[in-house]
Amino acid sequence: MKSFKSLLILLFLSFSVVAQDQSDKDSLNIRNFYDMSLLHGKSYDWLDYLSNEIGGRLSGSYEAQQAVEYTKSELEKLGLDKVWLQPVMVPKWVRGEREFGYIQTGPGSTRNINITALGGSVATPQGGTRAKVIEVQGIEDLAEYGRKNIEGKIVFFNRPMRADLINTFEAYGGAVDQRHDGAKEAAKYGAVGVIVRSMNLRLDDYPHAGNMSYGDLPKSERIPAAAISTNDVEYLSGLLKIQKDLELYFKLNCKQLDDVQSYNVIGEITGSEHPEKIMVVGGHLDSWDLGDGSHDDGAGVVQSMEVLRLFKETGYKPKNTIRVVLFMNEENGLRGGKKYAEVAKEKGENHVFALESDSGGFTPRGFGFEANDAQFEKIQSWKPLFEPYLIHYFERGESGADIGPLKGGNTVLAGLKPDSQRYFDYHHTAIDTFDKVSKRELELGAATMASLMYLVDKYGFDNSHKADSASSQ
Amino acid sequence: MKSFKSLLILLFLSFSVVAQDQSDKDSLNIRNFYDMSLLHGKSYDWLDYLSNEIGGRLSGSYEAQQAVEYTKSELEKLGLDKVWLQPVMVPKWVRGEREFGYIQTGPGSTRNINITALGGSVATPQGGTRAKVIEVQGIEDLAEYGRKNIEGKIVFFNRPMRADLINTFEAYGGAVDQRHDGAKEAAKYGAVGVIVRSMNLRLDDYPHAGNMSYGDLPKSERIPAAAISTNDVEYLSGLLKIQKDLELYFKLNCKQLDDVQSYNVIGEITGSEHPEKIMVVGGHLDSWDLGDGSHDDGAGVVQSMEVLRLFKETGYKPKNTIRVVLFMNEENGLRGGKKYAEVAKEKGENHVFALESDSGGFTPRGFGFEANDAQFEKIQSWKPLFEPYLIHYFERGESGADIGPLKGGNTVLAGLKPDSQRYFDYHHTAIDTFDKVSKRELELGAATMASLMYLVDKYGFDNSHKADSASSQ
């Protein structure tokens, strides 16, 4: 009995030692990723090139093609096992000449407004659109006002993002239907155009672009849709209170052209033990055209590239196949994400994990996961390894648009969650530019992503995270 | 036996219900602080005035005096029980004409450098200081080089802040001795001046001011000390490798004048149950003069004022006395902090808690505490209440310089810990300006501070946090 007890204690101690060794090794490897990223990182230089040498990368544009070629050639320098382009047809919407608009503030007096066409919008007629304005707080107001109050007018959607929500993406989610569906719905009541309060939590002069859709609306019924800056929104709304019949003028010159050929850019380190098990890390290459797309999503692109570079540079050889996927056309079509998942399905590929960074290059706070209970429990057991890096947030939630089509089966999806407070200061505007990205914050994000990829690679989701061979079954 | 067990269960359930009720009430009160701050906050407007109407507030300057008067008058509008000025004599160091310097890059060719005198430095001689340069990696190198290599030269301290440290304040702590003590030590080896690598983690053109001290060094032996921008540091260091005997020229026009009268600004809500128990929340009113001191420490000032306003506006009546203290002269003397503690001691005041915000107006991550085990355990029991606001960091560590002199007895000290990644991009520079502060981040910090002050007021540190009357004994 005594010797059995001793044996048990001995066994327990050995397990403890092994577990402690593993945990120490993990701590060390993770420390290596952070050191390499912060001291010898490449992400910031890559972003500099993408942002300042190439610039805004609207799907189908020359800049988007340049970004494809640049990132492919940079991935080729990393000594990966494979780098390739995955063809995908993408929509090509062009802005044309910059938009123009004003409020008729009085007889012969006007005030110009900062305005941008929404992606997918039709142009205004040749001479622009001029009409009275009806302000509403959301799509649900349209039915209440009815055709008699809306017909022939410009509908002005002005429900702000909620400042009391701590996660600004939630605030965005609560307002963005006005931008996406406002024109489609207002057209049904005979509106001649739509202007939307920019998806912005602060008051400034920058209009926010973004996608919209007419759904099934016949071409002949489509009306032009634009966003105006929050300062102009406040002015317009105030003026409307004392001057209900004021007129607004705007002119959009945008156009939807035929789909064109484009590409997802893919690089891979083939797994040493389980080459058939695939783990994806990615962001999207395309951006809106007003700024240079540094936060959305240049940051996610270069962080994802950096993950594979950190693996190579620190000498970590993944057991599973690690793929960086730089998706095309997240902003106005999601064609890249859909194509990647479609091809994966055709080929019968086994995707065990996908991680996306598409919430800006700000200080990383943690991750949102789409995972089952057992998978999520495993993930949470890794939290202590992240604490030295002030990464505390591990919650269930949305992962990323581009990896969304991979959902299904046992594939775990994750999204990097950076601090969200300033994201909508820049999102889709002319000031989403390189100077708004902090080198350190960007690099911390890349290291945080590499650390998670490492843990998933090493321990998988099938067994105890303590066992080194956990992903072997 | 059975009925005793039932009684126990009943008792347990009642306690649970009471505890749940309390916790719900706490959640609600905390939510109110956040809502009020984010939707109807005053902190950002106050900071706008301090930064843009008043500007940099060096101790003893007219701007510092304006800040005293402005904040006093704003506190008086809040309906507090008492607002007063606490006199304190402060050092008055003046910059004089802006500094100038260059590297002699070759015969007849120079490169200007971005340079700023360190606070407390003597001026250069009338015609400036010109000398050869010896680059060192820290004070400890001086003894190694010795007088024969240092005499007659300018010592160039160039040990960078460590980029691999996640908390940038740690990186600062590991480099700032060069700025604070470099001149005092170099003078002992016959150096004629000191230039220091700016306390900055990135490469840019902004020199970082900050305090230095000659200690006991006789006046006649004091040598001028300045910081230069990191871009200039890199240039100088590179050039020195191929041109060891290059000369550097700089001219400082600063001067230490006699001490002048100034003030701490104090406002108070007198406690409803324990007026004799005092809880302080504060920041420092003075700043360096190159920028407008928005992050350091305009943010802390307005957040501290906002805490009392949030209590008043949400109708929370504290049991203890809540004091906002806006300290004078943190940057170059800490006279305000010392004076406040000195007066408190003279009066035999009982300070149970003090909270300082002096780490910038960035997204709050949590707090650092100076507390004993029992106190810290109590604090940690409150963590779940902060999770909805993404406040996760509750660790032992430094609190704040101004409240430091209150240390002793059972006084618990705390410091707000905002995200630190960008703090040293701005700290003590010409770009520590209002536009670098995010309204939301500032407001989240104020609400987070109010929430902690509320919990300490309600539960104190003497008893179980579940009992409403915990602070009554």
Side-chain angles (χ1 to χ4, degrees), chain B residues 300-321:
Chain B
V301 164
V302 300
Q303 286 173 326
S304 299
M305 293 165 67
E306 182 77 348
V307 168
L308 274 74
R309 197 189 71 92
L310 294 177
F311 278 14
K312 295 292 287 186
E313 291 290 318
T314 61
Y316 179 69
K317 294 196 198 321
K319 298 194 287 189
N320 304 294
T321 290

Side-chain angles (χ1 to χ4, degrees), chain B residues 42-55:
Chain B
K42 277 283 286 177
S43 55
Y44 194 66
D45 287 345
W46 281 328
L47 187 63
D48 187 5
Y49 193 96
L50 266 185
S51 302
N52 292 323
E53 301 300 320
I54 296 176

Side-chain angles (χ1 to χ4, degrees), chain A residues 99-161:
Chain A
E99 304 80 355
F100 173 69
Y102 60 80
I103 303 164
Q104 191 83 39
T105 52
S109 81
T110 61
R111 172 186 157 120
N112 285 358
I113 52 177
N114 296 290
I115 186 166
T116 189
L118 295 180
S121 174
V122 297
T124 54
Q126 195 68 6
T129 294
R130 172 191 286 272
K132 291 195 170 61
V133 174
I134 176 167
E135 178 178 339
V136 300
Q137 295 298 302
I139 288 167
E140 54 287 1
D141 282 3
L142 296 173
E144 200 178 311
Y145 286 108
R147 180 170 278 269
K148 72 176 188 299
N149 289 303
I150 294 172
E151 188 157 36
K153 289 193 186 140
I154 294 167
V155 173
F156 167 30
F157 286 98
N158 188 21
R159 184 173 78 255
M161 286 171 69

